[in-house]
Amino acid sequence: LTLFKMNNVHYQCTGQNCVPAIVVYAANLRRCQMTCIDNAECRTVAYNQSDRRCEMFADIPSNNGYLMTQIGIITMTAIDSRRLSAGE
């Protein structure tokens, strides 16, 4: 599993049932990344560098939301490299 990182981008979920699956406060970006990787449900994670809020979502941006520019937020989307290599 790999996380594709986008600086100064915030994931906004637009679906009715779309709320962060998990919200934690992580000391740094790396801890937020590891928390997402360790969670089987995490597909998108947004880390706010100013308040250290790490919001994890079960959705990917193209399914139930969109990406918008926001300074200080890093959004990462999970890419399962096992599935990519299996399809080749």
Side-chain angles (χ1 to χ4, degrees), residues 10-30:
H10 194 195
Y11 172 60
Q12 292 293 304
C13 205
T14 57
Q16 285 182 338
N17 299 324
C18 192
V19 294
I22 297 173
V23 175
V24 297
Y25 290 89
N28 53 47
L29 177 62
R30 182 77 175 144

Side-chain angles (χ1 to χ4, degrees), residues 35-50:
T35 303
C36 179
I37 289 170
D38 289 342
N39 183 320
E41 299 293 314
C42 184
R43 293 291 172 259
T44 301
V45 61
Y47 181 68
N48 185 324
Q49 296 176 62
S50 65

